[in-house]
Amino acid sequence: MILDNRGLEPPNPMMRTLKAVEKLEKGQSLKIINDRRPMFLYEQLDELGYKYMTEPNDDGSFTIEITK
């Protein structure tokens, strides 16, 4: 599943992402696309025990793959 958060003002991207990752089963992944690197989201994901990888995109956005 891909969640495109581009064009949204903070904290909407983080709130949408956290709501979506709650629905993941163990081992499932979610890809999100954000306009900026989601530094505050990383803190939340660390606390919740999720793994994530961040890739910069050519247009300046970031794709983050989050795995439960």
Side-chain angles (χ1 to χ4, degrees):
M1 177 168 46
I2 297 177
L3 185 62
D4 190 344
N5 291 323
R6 290 176 289 187
L8 300 175
E9 289 298 316
N12 291 324
M14 185 167 82
M15 302 309 290
R16 288 181 76 210
T17 300
L18 290 174
K19 191 177 287 189
V21 296
E22 284 178 1
K23 298 175 184 174
L24 294 177
E25 299 290 329
K26 185 174 178 147
Q28 285 185 319
S29 295
L30 167 72
K31 284 188 179 184
I32 64 168
I33 305 170
N34 282 18
D35 289 322
R36 25 186 116 52
R37 193 178 294 268
M39 302 310 291
F40 295 113
L41 176 63
Y42 295 148
E43 294 173 14
Q44 293 290 318
L45 295 174
D46 287 338
E47 284 183 22
L48 294 168
Y50 291 96
K51 297 177 183 173
Y52 52 88
M53 290 185 357
T54 303
E55 295 283 330
N57 298 319
D58 292 338
D59 66 357
S61 66
F62 294 87
T63 298
I64 300 94
E65 183 173 3
I66 303 166
T67 305
K68 185 169 189 177

